[in-house]
């Protein structure tokens, strides 16, 4: 086996997209990426093209990849997300071991380059049912500590929406709300374990500036008579999902409520209103992710809205110290 690792360039994007599609057909992750999605990921100003996206090649054929995505500071740690995979037909040949070693090494260098004053916490995620991947990550020192559920619901038979509680108002997102929404998001999730606050750059890259963002299907709850956002639901749609499945899917990217306004049913109101809006806009289904250890009872809210768990994902962590 003569496998070489080299940084990916934009010229590699078609082959990268093809690799991901071939992996999904076997692993059934439910995640689909088109060339435009990978273009956007490479345009992230917080990653270094030429270092943070690396492919494994057998001659001219890409047979695997890894990516290293710095996320920012949280709880005195520098958070870095790492991910990668190998073409199913080439697994068991040591390619994954080579990629994981390179991935961890690059993440350690990224920490030294960006935040040498902080230890780094590497995070990765994979289907819990993929035991081989779990064993590979564990062998590199990444420990399984938390789990995430992917949930979906059809939009065929929706329950009635709930009224907005007294003292609150429901609005559709508009561009003027971008920074206030980011600040609200950071406050709403600050009590969640392993949450990394979003910087202006990250928020624009992942949410408001992303080609997947659907502002007309994103909603906020404000206090009556003010512009103060106390709860919100952000919606995304991934074109590659439609191309792969033939079904339009609305993705609940973020749903949060400020701690002092929880228990009022605001999340239920937002979710119900959004599902009806998705149906009216012609979507077939909706999806979301939820931490199995979410402290706000989100899993029950989603189940009552008709969502059902489709897959379970394991979150892996590794500390990298100065």
């Amino acid at each position: 086996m003569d496998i070489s690792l080299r940084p990916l360039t934009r010229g590699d994007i078609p082959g990268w997209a093809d690799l991901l599609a071939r992996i999904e057909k076997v692993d059934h992750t439910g995640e689909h990426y088109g060339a435009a999605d990978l273009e956007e990921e490479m345009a992230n100003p917080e990653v270094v093209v030429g270092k943070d996206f690396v492919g494994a090649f057998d001659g001219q054929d890409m047979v695997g990849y890894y990516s290293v995505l710095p996320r920012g500071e949280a709880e005195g740690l520098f958070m870095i997300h790492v991910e990668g995979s190998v073409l199913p037909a080439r697994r068991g040949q040591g390619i994954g071991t080579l990629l994981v070693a390179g991935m961890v090494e690059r993440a350690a260098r990224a920490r030294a380059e960006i935040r040498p004053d902080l230890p780094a916490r590497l995070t990765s995620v994979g289907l819990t049912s993929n035991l081989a991947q779990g064993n590979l990550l564990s062998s590199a020192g990444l420990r399984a500590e938390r789990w995430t559920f992917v949930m979906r619901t059809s939009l065929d038979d929706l329950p009635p929406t709930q009224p907005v509680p007294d003292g609150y108002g429901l609005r559709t997102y508009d561009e003027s709300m971008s920074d206030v929404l980011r600040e609200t998001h950071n406050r709403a999730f600050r009590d969640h374990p392993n949450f990394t606050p979003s910087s202006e750059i990250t928020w624009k890259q992942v949410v408001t500036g992303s080609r997947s963002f659907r502002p007309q299907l994103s909603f906020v709850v404000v206090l009556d008579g003010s512009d103060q956002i106390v709860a919100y639901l952000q919606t995304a749609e991934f074109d590659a999902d439609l191309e792969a499945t033939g079904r339009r899917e609305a993705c609940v990217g973020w749903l949060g409520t400020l701690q002092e306004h929880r228990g009022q049913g605001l999340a239920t109101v937002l979710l119900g209103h959004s599902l009806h809006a998705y149906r009216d806009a012609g979507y077939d289904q909706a999806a979301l992710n939820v931490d199995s250890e979410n402290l706000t009872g989100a899993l029950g809210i989603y189940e009552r809205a008709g969502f059902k768990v489709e897959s379970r994902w394991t979150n892996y962590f590794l500390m990298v110290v100065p």
Side-chain angles (χ1 to χ4, degrees):
M1 181 182 69
D2 186 17
I3 300 296
S4 60
L5 301 185
R6 68 164 175 81
L8 296 176
T9 67
R10 286 176 172 80
D12 293 310
I13 285 177
W16 189 9
D18 179 68
L19 173 71
L20 292 172
R22 294 165 71 185
I23 289 171
E24 199 286 327
K25 284 183 179 179
V26 174
D27 291 351
H28 303 295
T29 61
E31 296 186 330
H32 306 279
Y33 299 92
D37 299 314
L38 300 178
E39 285 272 9
E40 186 173 79
E41 196 156 321
M42 274 196 168
N44 187 339
E46 295 187 310
V47 301
V48 181
V49 176
K51 292 183 179 181
D52 293 336
F53 303 103
V54 173
F57 290 84
D58 185 352
Q60 298 298 312
D61 298 327
M62 190 187 306
V63 295
Y65 82 99
Y66 73 74
S67 62
V68 174
L69 307 172
R71 294 303 194 197
E73 181 182 349
E75 300 175 358
L77 302 172
F78 184 55
M79 301 295 192
I80 304 176
H81 180 75
V82 296
E83 63 182 49
S85 193
V86 175
L87 188 68
R90 301 299 300 271
R91 292 171 183 170
Q93 300 176 9
I95 300 172
T97 300
L98 187 66
L99 284 167
V100 169
M103 178 177 75
V104 172
E105 181 182 354
R106 170 56 197 156
R109 291 201 305 272
R111 182 210 65 81
E113 294 165 4
I114 303 171
R115 291 302 305 265
D117 57 316
L118 292 179
R121 184 176 176 88
L122 276 55
T123 67
S124 192
V125 63
L127 277 171
T128 304
S129 58
N130 191 336
L131 301 181
Q133 181 189 41
N135 290 336
L136 178 61
L137 292 173
S138 296
S139 70
L142 284 94
R143 298 188 305 168
E145 293 185 12
R146 301 181 71 85
W147 288 265
T148 300
F149 296 134
V150 172
M151 307 181 75
R152 282 187 170 86
T153 184
S154 73
L155 303 173
D156 296 330
D157 186 20
L158 297 175
T161 58
Q162 297 296 312
V164 183
D166 292 341
Y168 299 97
L170 183 66
R171 298 181 187 173
T172 302
Y173 171 88
D174 67 62
E175 290 184 5
S176 68
M177 301 176 181
S178 177
D179 203 50
V180 175
L181 182 60
R182 178 182 66 85
E183 294 172 356
T184 303
H185 169 70
N186 287 341
R187 287 177 58 196
F189 279 86
R190 64 188 176 190
D191 58 344
H192 287 57
N194 306 309
F195 171 68
T196 305
S198 288
S199 65
E200 291 183 24
I201 294 174
T202 301
W203 189 251
K204 182 177 180 180
Q205 173 70 23
V206 177
V207 181
T208 57
S210 172
R211 59 189 297 274
S212 66
F213 181 42
R214 297 295 181 265
Q216 71 280 12
L217 292 171
S218 299
F219 306 97
V220 301
V221 173
V222 298
L223 289 177
D224 273 349
S226 79
D227 295 325
Q228 181 183 346
I229 299 173
V230 298
Y232 62 94
L233 185 149
Q234 174 256 327
T235 300
E237 178 185 9
F238 299 94
D239 298 339
D241 285 338
L242 176 61
E243 295 172 10
T245 67
R247 295 176 64 81
R248 287 192 71 191
E249 179 173 89
C251 178
V252 179
W254 290 105
L255 172 58
T257 303
L258 293 181
Q259 188 172 19
E260 58 269 31
H261 294 275
R262 292 174 189 165
Q264 306 296 318
L266 301 182
T268 298
V269 168
L270 280 166
L271 192 58
H273 181 82
S274 298
L275 293 178
H276 279 261
Y278 300 159
R279 184 191 62 188
D280 295 344
Y283 287 82
D284 300 298
Q285 60 193 29
L288 53 81
N289 297 346
V290 59
D291 188 332
S292 63
E293 298 182 29
N294 186 292
L295 303 177
T296 63
L299 182 61
I301 293 172
Y302 301 147
E303 288 176 332
R304 288 190 292 274
F307 284 86
K308 295 181 180 179
V309 174
E310 283 203 353
S311 59
R312 182 182 182 187
W313 295 70
T314 301
N315 297 280
Y316 300 90
F317 302 93
L318 173 66
M319 293 295 297
V320 177
V321 298

